[in-house]
Amino acid sequence: MFLDPSDLHPAQIEEIEKASARLVTQAVYEFRETAADIFSKEEDLAQDIAEDITREALDRLGVSRMDLRIYGKIDYKRARYVFHPEYAVRQALLVDSKAEKDHGTSTLQTAQTSMRIRHIRADQPVDEAGELPVNIGKCLTTTIFVKYEYQDEPENKLLEIIIAALPSGMLQDRYNPSHQDTIWRAGRNAPTRGEPFRVRLVFGLLKNKMRWRVQSIPMNPMLPATPGSFPWDE
């Protein structure tokens, strides 16, 4: 009944990642007003607040569970079942939270992607391997980022939430086939000082490849509170 992830076609991987992006977007969208309230009142570090919000939003919506523990530098990790009318697959759903002030990008580590990272930095080509496997056991690895864009002056305020569905490494040729054809920008690490490799995912570049992979939830003005009314960007 369950397909082996290595037997999936690119179109099927896209379907699974799109369905997963819908799941995460809906969970965060329904929790957005609480998220804004938490950001304005909590005194913890913004990153810690973001991680808590993502976990609570997904736990409230709920996902299926498999008896498999997943390890890695990701905030929310679940082994679950994905059922499609034509097939079923086991999935390792990895959802990471980012609290950042900069607009339009999010900083990643190689441990958070199964893609090779190809781009140009300081006029030199970069080709860095992602450390996540494309499959974890018999589960397809799916990675989604939730970025909480905020300000802390003159007050703590959540400005926007971005959900970005990062493609599987098995879709490398579709999304980052070369250094010039990329979705990445150089990170803020300084190689000359031996700092760990970082890279920035550029939302606009990813969205140009496939619009649904980047969804925006503005906080101001707040979207209508009607459950289920999120205007999905196809």
Side-chain angles (χ1 to χ4, degrees):
M1 181 177 180
F2 287 94
L3 294 181
D4 188 298
S6 60
D7 293 332
L8 291 169
H9 302 302
Q12 292 172 318
I13 298 173
E14 295 271 13
E15 288 176 341
I16 294 164
E17 293 183 341
K18 185 174 185 179
S20 302
R22 284 187 179 275
L23 169 73
V24 175
T25 300
Q26 190 65 42
V28 175
Y29 170 72
E30 293 187 3
F31 200 69
R32 71 199 184 285
E33 293 186 60
T34 302
D37 188 55
I38 291 172
F39 254 91
S40 68
K41 296 178 179 178
E42 287 286 346
E43 297 182 358
D44 291 340
L45 293 175
Q47 181 61 35
D48 294 338
I49 296 171
E51 293 170 10
D52 289 344
I53 289 172
T54 299
R55 291 192 193 98
E56 189 168 346
L58 285 164
D59 285 343
R60 180 176 293 189
L61 185 65
V63 300
S64 61
R65 294 172 181 260
M66 290 173 51
D67 187 18
L68 174 66
R69 183 175 294 276
I70 300 173
Y71 300 92
K73 296 181 178 181
I74 301 288
D75 303 330
Y76 182 93
K77 303 177 283 289
R78 290 290 184 274
R80 71 179 194 123
Y81 302 104
V82 176
F83 295 99
H84 184 274
E86 303 301 327
Y87 59 85
V89 67
R90 298 175 178 88
Q91 178 192 51
L93 177 63
L94 310 180
V95 184
D96 200 62
S97 307
K98 305 288 185 180
E100 297 172 305
K101 297 179 183 178
D102 294 342
H103 181 68
T105 67
S106 192
T107 301
L108 277 66
Q109 308 171 43
T110 53
Q112 296 177 319
T113 179
S114 60
M115 299 184 72
R116 297 197 70 85
I117 298 167
R118 296 168 176 160
H119 67 103
I120 301 293
R121 177 169 183 161
D123 297 324
Q124 297 297 318
V126 174
D127 191 339
E128 193 81 16
E131 297 176 32
L132 271 180
V134 293
N135 303 323
I136 298 176
K138 293 186 177 181
C139 298
L140 174 70
T141 304
T142 300
T143 310
I144 297 176
F145 294 91
V146 183
K147 181 192 174 183
Y148 299 85
E149 188 175 313
Y150 73 101
Q151 66 179 37
D152 55 11
E153 294 180 353
E155 59 183 356
N156 292 333
K157 187 175 183 180
L158 183 57
L159 304 176
E160 187 176 24
I161 305 175
I162 307 294
I163 289 83
L166 190 64
S168 164
M170 290 189 282
L171 300 176
Q172 183 80 43
D173 291 342
R174 291 188 174 194
Y175 289 92
N176 185 204
S178 69
H179 304 98
Q180 291 75 26
D181 191 352
T182 187
I183 57 175
W184 311 105
R185 183 186 300 165
R188 293 179 178 80
N189 62 300
T192 55
R193 294 202 296 266
E195 294 178 353
F197 181 84
R198 295 287 187 275
V199 70
R200 280 180 284 179
L201 173 64
V202 182
F203 298 139
L205 294 177
L206 179 58
K207 197 172 187 68
N208 287 341
K209 296 276 188 179
M210 192 67 73
R211 290 195 62 82
W212 61 258
R213 285 192 175 273
V214 179
Q215 303 291 327
S216 301
I217 302 174
M219 297 291 109
N220 189 19
M222 186 73 73
L223 287 171
T226 305
S229 63
F230 177 77
W232 177 264
D233 190 353
E234 193 63 48

